[in-house]
Amino acid sequence: MFKVKFADIGEGLTEGKVAEVLVKLGQEIKEGDALFFVETDKVNSEIPAPVGGKIANILISQGQEIKVGDVVIEIDDGSSAAEVTPVAEIKTKNEPIEENASVVGSTPVSNDVIASRATTNAAAEISNSGVKATPLARKIAADKKIDLSTIKGTGPHGRILVSDLDSAPVAVPNTNSATKTVVKSVDVDAPLSWDSIPMNGIRKATVKAMVKSQSENAAFTGMKNINITPTYDMRAMLKDGCESKGIKLTYLAFIVKAAAKVLEEMPNINVRIDAENNAILQVHNINIGIAVDTEKGLMVPVIKGANHLTIFEIANKIGELAKKARDGKLAMTEMKDATFTVSNFGSVGLDYATPIINSPESAILGVGTMTKTPIFVKDEIKAGWIMPFSMTCDHRIIDGGDAGRFLMKIENYLSNPALLLM
C-alpha cells in the first residue's frame, strides 16, 4: 500500500489548496495518471501517481488546505509493506484550471462528466452527457441550451471551458406555448448586496507581495518621455526577416536588452537591501522579470542572464514565457531569482503609471503606450515615436540622480539601437 504524501513542490512552499480531486475510490490507475490538482501561491500543478494500482483511500477533498507531510491518497499496488512516497519526487505538470460556477475566477472544480439536469420539458433540453466539460461550462450550456458536442474544448485534455462558449450558437427550445416578455422591476432602494469571490493563489500572493513592498520600501517614481523613432525604424527593418525564422520581434525585446546593458554599466541599480546587517547586496546576475497580465492575475516570469542573450534570443524567451504564463504552465524555476523587473503597462493602454517594486528587488521599469507625435529634429518638425517610461526605485539605496542617469542611458540605447546588436 503506497501512502502518497504532499511535499514541497518548489521554492519552500509549506502548504497548498486542493483545487480538484481527479480520481475516485476504487478506481484503477496507472503510474503517471493525474491524482489531483494543487493550487499554491504561484502555480497550479497536476500531481501524478507514483505507482499504478487501485485507489484505496482518498484523504483530501476539493477546497481543503493541505500541508507538507500530509498523507493525501493511499494506493493499493499489491505490496504488503506500507510505503510513503513524497509528492516532491514526482514530476508535476502545470495545467490551467476552470472556475466554480458559484464564484468568479477562483475555485477549481472537478473534470468529471456530469449528466445534464433533468427538466419538466425534456424535448427542450439538449443532452450534453458524455461530453468532457467543466461544471461551470456545463451549467452555462444548460441554461443557454448550448449543444456542447459542437464545441471544441481548449482546456486540459480537450475539456470545454467557459471561454469556449463565447461563440457557440444558442439553441431555440421546441415549444408550442406562447412566449411572454417579462419585464423585471428593479428596487433601486434595495440594501447593498454582493457576491463573495474567494482569492485564488496568484491573487493572494500578489496581495502579500504588494503590501510587503509598499510597507518596506521608500519608493519614488521618476518619469521620462523617450524618442524611440530609431528603434521603431530598426524593428521595421528586421521584423520580416525575424518572422521568417519564427521570431516575433517586439519593442519589449529591445527594452529588456537595453535594461540589461544599463544594469551592467550601473551595478548600483541591480541591488537589494540587507536591512539586518545594514548592507547593500550588489547582485552579480542580471535576471529580468517581465510582468504578464493573465486572467488569473499578474505573473512575473524571469529572463535569466538577459545580459548574455541577443535581442532575438530575448524576443523568443519573452514569447515563450508569456504564453506559459497565460496558459498557467510556468514552472517555479521560471518565476524566481529576478533582480530587476520591466512592466509593460502600455499593452493595456496606459501612458503613465507608478509601478510597484517587486521585492526584494530595488527598482522596476515601467513602459507606457508608444505614440506617434511631432518631434523637433535639428529645429525641424518631423513625425516620430515617443514612448513614456516610469522607473520606481527604493530611495533607501537608490537616489534620484541614479534613476535619472539610468533612464538617460536607456534613452541612449533606444536612440542608437545598433548598439544593442553588438
Side-chain angles (χ1 to χ4, degrees):
M1 185 80 70
F2 266 86
K3 294 184 178 180
V4 183
K5 298 179 76 174
F6 177 62
D8 186 356
I9 62 173
E11 213 172 75
L13 295 173
T14 59
E15 62 185 8
K17 182 178 180 180
V18 179
E20 192 171 340
V21 180
L22 302 176
V23 292
K24 296 180 179 179
L25 202 62
Q27 179 180 336
E28 292 285 347
I29 60 167
K30 295 181 293 185
E31 181 179 347
D33 284 352
L35 295 176
F36 64 100
F37 275 114
V38 63
E39 180 184 83
T40 69
D41 282 353
K42 295 288 185 182
V43 294
N44 297 322
S45 298
E46 183 184 85
I47 307 300
V51 296
K54 181 184 290 187
I55 300 298
N57 200 3
I58 300 174
L59 303 172
I60 53 175
S61 58
Q62 182 181 312
Q64 179 180 337
E65 298 285 346
I66 54 176
K67 298 184 181 298
V68 170
D70 290 349
V71 177
V72 290
I73 289 176
E74 294 180 348
I75 302 174
D76 184 359
D77 67 332
S79 62
S80 55
E83 300 181 59
V84 176
T85 301
V87 172
E89 296 179 8
I90 315 300
K91 182 179 180 182
T92 62
K93 175 185 175 185
N94 300 324
E95 300 277 9
I97 294 179
E98 184 70 3
E99 294 82 18
N100 188 308
S102 64
V103 300
V104 179
S106 59
T107 311
V109 292
S110 174
N111 291 333
D112 297 336
V113 175
I114 302 174
S116 299
R117 297 174 299 166
T119 65
T120 54
N121 185 0
E125 187 74 20
I126 297 174
S127 175
N128 283 322
S129 60
V131 181
K132 200 169 188 179
T134 64
L136 177 53
R138 191 177 302 284
K139 178 181 182 299
I140 293 174
D143 292 341
K144 295 185 176 181
K145 306 298 185 293
I146 295 174
D147 185 355
L148 291 180
S149 65
T150 64
I151 308 298
K152 183 178 180 181
T154 60
H157 315 298
R159 176 175 48 169
I160 296 173
L161 308 178
V162 171
S163 58
D164 298 325
L165 304 180
D166 292 342
S167 59
V170 179
V172 179
N174 180 19
T175 175
N176 294 323
S177 60
T179 59
K180 296 181 179 179
T181 301
V182 179
V183 178
K184 295 182 178 179
S185 60
V186 178
D187 183 3
V188 295
D189 293 319
L192 293 176
S193 63
W194 51 79
D195 294 323
S196 179
I197 305 171
M199 294 184 184
N200 60 26
I202 293 172
R203 180 56 57 191
K204 286 190 286 186
T206 300
V207 169
K208 182 178 179 181
M210 295 300 97
V211 170
K212 175 180 171 65
S213 178
Q214 291 291 72
S215 63
E216 292 184 356
N217 296 325
F220 75 93
T221 302
M223 301 181 184
K224 183 175 180 60
N225 288 332
I226 293 179
N227 176 7
I228 68 157
T229 306
T231 296
Y232 177 90
D233 294 337
M234 175 72 76
R235 176 180 176 271
M237 182 178 66
L238 298 173
K239 183 180 177 183
D240 290 343
C242 287
E243 286 182 354
S244 68
K245 296 180 180 180
I247 301 172
K248 185 178 180 181
L249 186 60
T250 63
Y251 295 105
L252 184 58
F254 285 89
I255 294 165
V256 169
K257 181 61 179 177
K261 290 185 77 69
V262 178
L263 288 171
E264 283 185 315
E265 298 167 12
M266 297 185 67
N268 56 316
I269 300 295
N270 200 43
V271 293
R272 55 189 61 188
I273 194 167
D274 181 0
E276 292 184 4
N277 298 306
N278 292 317
I280 297 173
L281 307 179
Q282 201 167 90
V283 189
H284 299 147
N285 314 69
I286 295 179
N287 300 336
I288 299 184
I290 50 170
V292 178
D293 182 35
T294 75
E295 290 184 357
K296 297 186 186 307
L298 191 67
M299 303 188 76
V300 187
V302 182
I303 300 174
K304 306 287 180 67
N307 53 319
H308 299 302
L309 302 177
T310 67
I311 284 181
F312 312 110
E313 290 170 329
I314 290 173
N316 268 338
K317 202 67 180 173
I318 289 173
E320 174 192 332
L321 292 173
K323 185 178 188 305
K324 282 187 176 182
R326 294 188 179 102
D327 291 346
K329 295 181 180 180
L330 280 172
M332 277 290 182
T333 54
E334 294 172 316
M335 292 189 293
K336 61 186 297 187
D337 295 335
T339 64
F340 185 86
T341 295
V342 175
S343 179
N344 181 18
F345 44 75
S347 63
V348 293
L350 294 178
D351 294 330
Y352 296 97
T354 54
I356 297 176
I357 298 167
N358 188 19
S359 296
E361 301 160 39
S362 295
I364 180 172
L365 183 66
V367 184
T369 303
M370 184 174 68
T371 305
K372 190 173 185 179
T373 185
I375 297 174
F376 276 100
V377 180
K378 295 181 179 179
D379 294 329
E380 294 183 8
I381 298 178
K382 295 184 178 181
W385 294 91
I386 291 292
M387 182 176 282
F389 285 79
S390 305
M391 186 173 179
T392 300
C393 303
D394 185 350
H395 214 329
R396 293 178 300 171
I397 53 177
I398 297 177
D399 296 330
D402 288 327
R405 283 183 281 274
F406 186 95
L407 289 174
M408 288 174 66
K409 285 179 176 288
I410 290 289
E411 180 179 36
N412 180 57
Y413 279 116
L414 298 181
S415 298
N416 302 277
L419 296 174
L420 300 174
L421 301 177
M422 298 172 62

